[in-house]
Amino acid sequence: MASFERTFCLQVPSSTENLALIREFVSAVGEQAGFDENETLKLALAVDEACTNVIEHAYQNEETHEVTVRVTVDEDAIAFEVIDRGRGFDPTQEPALPVEELIRRRSSGGLGLRLIRTIMDDVQYRIVAGQKNELRMVKKRRPAKSATPEPGAPR
Amino acid sequence: MTRSFLIETRNEGDVRILALKGFLDAHTAPRFEAAIEEELRGGRSRLVMDCSGLDYISSAGLGVFMTFVDEARGAGGDIKLASIQPKVYQIFDVLGFPALFDIQPTVEEAVARFGSAAGEG
């Protein structure tokens, strides 16, 4: 039983210009929820990828619609819902191809999905007919004090 | 509003350096794509991306590397990456890019890699 739950919501016009705003929103909530800088960057990246998919696929780059990002924080996890009212595009149905294959196909959209799947612990999609499409992504909190060292990062 | 992504170009011998600054996402990637395309169309295929000022990259930016690396290599060059900040490197790493791209700690080392590769092939 979670003893607290907080919800944050951002709604912006469906333009890629607003991706920076969306990332800042996710980063701010992630930091407040206690995720470190590297984790927060990855959360912002996953939500950026999901919103990019909505703008480019669900809304076909039309800037007159709205994208909603709702974040729910509790003791166990941080959950993101990316909501649109465009044509349903279920990214969870796309095959998980190896990066080499994505490169061969020049599929940066496939790369985005791969990032979402890698970063998040759970990804689900649902269509509420005639109302909305919703991509739900959950990242569980890690046990405290796991300061992960950079794996082979160049100095 | 400040521009969120900038590219500065310079030459080191016959290697072209593109210094990427700011945020590379679906909004700014088309400008990056146009810049790389301009280099390749101009016959410059030995390219080094100086990523020291790159604060963020999403799949849209990574996709630009994917789109043009084969063409650069086919023309006898390459797209090499250098001086990536650790926080950005983790994004490349998550996708396995280090196995597919030549990533060097510094611009100088990346430029030198062209020298050794070109020296009598």
Side-chain angles (χ1 to χ4, degrees), chain A:
Chain A
M1 184 171 69
S3 65
F4 76 94
E5 182 179 290
R6 286 170 291 165
T7 300
F8 305 82
C9 202
L10 176 74
Q11 189 170 54
V12 295
S14 55
S15 163
T16 54
E17 189 180 2
N18 293 317
L19 290 170
L21 190 61
I22 290 167
R23 292 194 301 270
E24 283 171 21
F25 168 68
V26 170
S27 296
V29 176
E31 272 174 36
Q32 196 197 79
F35 287 84
D36 70 25
E37 190 189 352
N38 284 338
E39 291 170 328
T40 300
L41 178 82
K42 286 193 270 190
L43 296 176
L45 174 62
V47 176
D48 171 327
E49 299 292 351
C51 292
T52 298
N53 278 338
V54 164
I55 292 166
E56 293 182 345
H57 297 289
Y59 289 139
Q60 309 274 303
N61 286 305
E62 292 174 3
E63 300 185 356
T64 53
H65 307 281
E66 282 168 343
V67 183
T68 303
V69 179
R70 186 187 299 141
V71 190
T72 306
V73 179
D74 66 26
E75 283 182 333
D76 303 320
I78 187 165
F80 302 91
E81 285 157 355
V82 173
I83 300 159
D84 69 82
R85 294 171 202 283
R87 55 181 75 176
F89 168 73
D90 182 354
T92 63
Q93 295 301 308
E94 298 291 308
L97 298 170
V99 173
E100 291 84 349
E101 182 61 24
L102 293 172
I103 289 180
R104 204 167 299 125
R105 296 183 183 198
R106 298 183 173 184
S107 168
S108 64
L111 276 188
L113 297 177
R114 197 171 180 87
L115 281 168
I116 291 172
R117 286 180 169 128
T118 308
I119 292 166
M120 296 294 180
D121 294 311
D122 186 43
V123 182
Q124 287 180 26
Y125 186 77
R126 77 181 177 124
I127 296 175
V128 181
Q131 289 185 38
K132 62 177 180 177
N133 312 306
E134 187 179 282
L135 184 71
R136 181 179 163 82
M137 304 175 284
V138 178
K139 182 70 178 175
K140 290 177 191 147
R141 288 179 188 277
R142 289 221 205 97
K145 76 162 193 163
S146 61
T148 319
E150 284 301 317
R155 285 153 194 271

Side-chain angles (χ1 to χ4, degrees), chain A residues 103, chain B residues 64-74 78-79 100-101:
Chain A
I103 289 180
Chain B
V64 176
F65 294 121
M66 280 170 34
T67 301
F68 293 109
V69 70
D70 283 347
E71 186 176 340
R73 287 175 182 167
D78 194 8
I79 298 177
L100 305 164
F101 288 84

